[in-house]
């Protein structure tokens, strides 16, 4: 009875990955695809998107908008398979979260990414960290010498936030050595190299409606 329950717990019945110790984080393998010719749109526009093979999906959204992917992963395989590439879900890494919850969110992000790759989907890893102590595990399972995605949204409000973000970003680039970065938000000059920018979807809506200038 206990064994049967565990096999149906937290998606373990669908796939179990060997993972990277000590926490068994599933690995995401390097992708070498052309992301510059993809139009990147948020996941909440996926179902209504047309010409899906020319678009990429990102998850720079509130967690509640993509929690269903973890709760019902098989329901979205067919949809995501129609896009040129998909980034891993940006599950929150707030510094006031318990460390166990942050590691769990990192695990969920990687389980989904690895599961999608196992189903033939091109996956771009979203790199997230919180405090410097998270560097001990937050890069587990990430590919090296590959494409990665980073968001700076919410990290540039003051000098303290900027410094903390820059510290994590330097660590990510040093450890992962990416050859291309899919970037969301303002890109500080220090990291503005070989960057592919994700255009905020809101800007396109404003332009179509003619309601003013796009946001910075």
């Amino acid at each position: 009875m206990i064994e049967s329950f565990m096999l149906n717990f937290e998606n373990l019945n669908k796939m179990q990955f060997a993972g990277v110790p000590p926490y068994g984080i599933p690995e995401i393998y390097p992708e070498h695809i052309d992301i510059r010719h993809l139009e990147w749109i948020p996941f909440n526009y996926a179902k209504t998107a047309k010409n899906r093979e020319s678009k990429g999906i990102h998850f720079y959204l509130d967690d509640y908008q993509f929690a269903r992917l973890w709760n019902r992963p098989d329901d979205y395989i067919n949809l995501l398979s129609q896009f040129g590439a998909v980034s891993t879900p940006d599950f929150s890494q707030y510094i006031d979260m318990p460390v166990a919850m942050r590691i769990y969110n990192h695990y969920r992000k990687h389980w989904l990414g690895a599961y999608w790759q196992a189903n033939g989907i091109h996956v771009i890893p979203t790199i997230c960290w919180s405090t410097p102590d998270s560097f001990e595990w937050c890069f587990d399972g990430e590919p090296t010498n590959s494409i990665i995605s980073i968001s700076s949204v919410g990290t540039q409000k003051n000098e303290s936030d900027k410094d903390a973000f820059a510290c994590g970003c330097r660590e990510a680039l040093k450890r992962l050595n990416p050859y291309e970065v899919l970037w969301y938000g303002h890109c500080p000059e220090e990291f503005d190299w070989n960057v592919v920018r994700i255009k905020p979807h809101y800007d396109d809506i404003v332009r179509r409606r003619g309601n003013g200038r796009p946001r910075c």
Side-chain angles (χ1 to χ4, degrees):
M1 175 69 76
I2 294 177
E3 181 179 355
S4 176
F5 170 76
M6 287 303 297
L7 288 176
N8 288 280
F9 183 68
E10 297 288 354
N11 291 325
L12 293 179
N13 59 312
K14 303 181 186 303
M15 185 77 75
Q16 296 187 53
F17 301 95
V20 176
Y23 300 111
I25 305 299
E27 287 188 84
I28 296 172
Y29 296 102
E31 296 278 6
H32 298 282
I33 60 174
D34 184 0
I35 62 171
R36 293 180 178 270
H37 291 90
L38 293 176
E39 176 190 356
W40 289 88
I41 64 172
F43 171 67
N44 54 348
Y45 286 89
K47 285 191 175 181
T48 58
K50 298 180 180 179
N51 301 317
R52 293 173 177 171
E53 68 282 354
S54 67
K55 294 180 171 64
I57 295 294
H58 71 79
F59 292 89
Y60 293 124
L61 303 161
D62 292 329
D63 290 29
Y64 77 88
Q65 298 203 59
F66 53 80
R68 50 192 156 149
L69 288 163
W70 174 254
N71 297 330
R72 305 190 311 278
D74 289 333
D75 290 357
Y76 296 91
I77 293 296
N78 181 60
L79 173 65
L80 296 178
S81 297
Q82 298 174 47
F83 290 87
V86 178
S87 66
T88 49
D90 185 35
F91 287 112
S92 294
Q93 290 288 335
Y94 296 123
I95 62 174
D96 56 352
M97 277 181 164
V99 175
M101 180 61 72
R102 284 185 269 158
I103 295 174
Y104 173 63
N105 278 350
H106 183 63
Y107 172 85
R108 291 197 295 166
K109 175 180 70 172
H110 273 258
W111 189 94
L112 284 171
Y115 193 59
W116 293 342
Q117 281 191 324
N119 281 276
I121 297 170
H122 292 297
V123 174
I124 306 302
T126 301
I127 310 303
C128 308
W129 58 88
S130 49
T131 52
D133 63 293
S134 73
F135 299 167
E136 296 180 8
W137 49 264
C138 71
F139 304 116
D140 288 356
E142 307 292 10
T144 58
N145 305 305
S146 184
I147 308 168
I148 64 173
S149 184
I150 292 176
S151 171
S152 61
V153 172
T155 68
Q156 307 295 299
K157 296 178 181 178
N158 54 58
E159 291 306 312
S160 177
D161 287 349
K162 290 179 182 179
D163 289 345
F165 173 77
C167 176
C169 201
R170 292 185 199 109
E171 191 71 18
L173 297 178
K174 181 179 73 174
R175 294 191 184 213
L176 304 179
N177 191 35
Y179 72 84
E180 200 162 39
V181 180
L182 183 65
W183 196 284
Y184 187 72
H186 171 71
C187 184
E189 184 177 354
E190 177 183 352
F191 308 111
D192 194 2
W193 57 272
N194 218 17
V195 166
V196 178
R197 288 174 171 78
I198 297 176
K199 185 189 304 180
H201 200 67
Y202 175 85
D203 290 357
D204 288 335
I205 295 173
V206 168
R207 289 191 183 94
R208 287 198 297 269
R209 291 178 177 173
N211 287 339
R213 299 166 61 186
R215 299 183 298 180
C216 296

